[in-house]
Amino acid sequence: MIRIGCTSFKEHTYLTGKKETTLYEYAGYFPLVEMDTGFYFIPSRSNIEGWLKQVPEQFRFIVKVQKIFTKHQELEEGQMLTELADQLKSNMAPMLESGRLFCLLAQFPATFKCTRENVDYLRILRQLFQDWPIAIEFRDRSWYEEKYIEGTRNFMKNHRFSLVVVDEPKKLSTTVPLDAYVTNEDFAFFRFHGRNDMGWTATGPDAQKVRTNYRYNAEELAELQRAVESAKEKSKEIAVIFNNNAGGDAAENAIEFKRRLDLDYDELNPSQLELF
């Protein structure tokens, strides 16, 4: 099954015409969402239980792991990765047990390069979340270099990671390629950030507002469609997330992509209230 969705549920004015869309409303359009709030803090169990009450049984969540797990932030004095992992797993248990967790997403920064030390850290990450579905996203091209790519793929397979298929700007030498290779037969994950070459490397307080400010055109969506369809026979479940939302384009592109793939999702929430 191919599920399409967007990063977050609140900011998709295109769907509802409202400044903020609720999770219940969002789940009337898509069967999948990526919760990026987990990157900043471990979601509380009560929040997770609240999310589950707002979505139908067939809805799935992708939850980013906290940045402490992906080397964006160092451990503070007294913190232990094992304890933080146990807290996350405990809080996430209702989502896992209900079958509505698609996967955890570990998005590593561009500074996380293909080195022996970092490969060893990925082994630690698997030990911390032994039986949990985990997708790995790299932002550095070294993992895809000719001398490493076969090793990268085999490592992902052997450790039951799903290597995220990423779409990023194409004119920069540092970005990763669109590589639709499937490393996990249980689930594959496509994540589309847009192709804003100028904004991708932006820094400063407004960087987030321009980095994913991009609208995919018809030709580009056709290219992404071919990539997704190439994975259909290689993985049981496929997630497609549009993250090009800095300019509000993600939901519209996702709706168009759903139409292109001729997908019709059953058991979504009602998208509007009937008068009679």
Side-chain angles (χ1 to χ4, degrees):
M1 179 178 182
I2 300 174
R3 288 184 172 87
I4 297 173
C6 303
T7 301
S8 86
F9 58 84
K10 286 185 179 181
E11 52 198 32
H12 304 296
T13 303
Y14 176 79
L15 299 178
T16 61
K18 298 164 58 176
K19 185 176 180 180
E20 287 195 359
T21 298
T22 67
L23 176 56
Y24 181 89
E25 291 169 331
Y26 172 94
Y29 297 90
F30 299 115
L32 175 74
V33 70
E34 179 188 306
M35 304 297 283
D36 58 351
T37 54
F39 181 73
Y40 302 100
F41 56 87
I42 294 176
S44 69
R45 191 181 182 98
S46 61
N47 275 346
I48 289 169
E49 290 172 340
W51 296 342
L52 295 176
K53 290 177 182 177
Q54 297 180 64
V55 299
E57 185 176 345
Q58 294 302 315
F59 193 92
R60 297 293 182 268
F61 292 88
I62 294 169
V63 180
K64 261 191 185 180
V65 298
Q66 192 182 21
K67 56 186 174 182
I68 201 79
F69 293 108
T70 52
K71 302 289 188 175
H72 287 85
Q73 179 179 308
E74 296 297 323
L75 284 167
E76 298 178 6
E77 186 176 353
Q79 282 187 318
M80 295 182 62
L81 271 183
T82 52
E83 292 180 357
L84 292 171
D86 287 344
Q87 181 186 351
L88 176 59
K89 289 184 288 187
S90 176
N91 290 2
M92 292 279 298
M95 187 179 290
L96 181 71
E97 292 165 0
S98 69
R100 280 179 278 185
L101 174 67
F102 188 87
C103 70
L104 298 176
L105 168 62
Q107 177 194 301
F108 287 91
T111 54
F112 192 81
K113 299 180 182 298
C114 187
T115 65
R116 185 178 299 276
E117 178 186 4
N118 287 337
V119 169
D120 287 342
Y121 178 76
L122 291 173
R123 291 190 176 96
I124 293 173
L125 188 68
R126 174 45 78 194
Q127 292 171 0
L128 291 172
F129 299 95
Q130 290 186 5
D131 298 319
W132 290 65
I134 301 180
I136 303 291
E137 179 177 343
F138 296 124
R139 287 290 176 91
D140 183 74
R141 197 179 186 91
S142 62
W143 299 89
Y144 295 85
E145 290 179 3
E146 185 176 353
K147 60 182 177 179
Y148 293 134
I149 183 61
E150 184 176 356
T152 297
R153 291 169 172 172
N154 287 336
F155 181 87
M156 294 292 142
K157 288 180 180 178
N158 293 337
H159 289 78
R160 295 171 289 112
F161 289 130
S162 181
L163 181 59
V164 179
V165 181
V166 180
D167 189 64
E168 295 177 352
K170 305 302 177 188
K171 297 179 181 179
L172 302 176
S173 61
T174 54
T175 53
V176 304
L178 177 64
D179 178 29
Y181 189 91
V182 174
T183 64
N184 191 314
E185 64 180 14
D186 291 326
F187 72 101
F189 183 7
F190 290 75
R191 201 161 181 248
F192 302 149
H193 301 293
R195 300 178 179 182
N196 187 336
D197 297 287
M198 293 290 291
W200 187 251
T201 56
T203 58
D206 295 326
Q208 195 66 28
K209 296 180 181 179
V210 297
R211 189 173 295 129
T212 60
N213 187 356
Y214 191 83
R215 179 188 292 265
Y216 285 104
N217 61 36
E219 182 179 350
E220 292 165 338
L221 289 175
E223 178 187 359
L224 299 178
Q225 178 182 351
R226 290 191 293 272
V228 170
E229 290 181 333
S230 73
K232 285 168 59 175
E233 303 303 320
K234 302 170 186 174
S235 199
K236 298 173 186 175
E237 297 280 342
I238 296 175
V240 178
I241 288 290
F242 281 83
N243 187 44
N244 57 321
N245 201 50
D249 298 305
E252 188 170 358
N253 272 162
I255 291 288
E256 171 61 15
F257 203 65
K258 172 177 170 289
R259 186 193 65 77
R260 283 175 167 274
L261 290 173
D262 195 27
L263 296 175
D264 185 17
Y265 299 116
D266 296 326
E267 300 183 28
L268 294 176
N269 284 342
S271 57
Q272 62 182 15
L273 295 177
E274 299 291 344
L275 292 180
F276 301 100

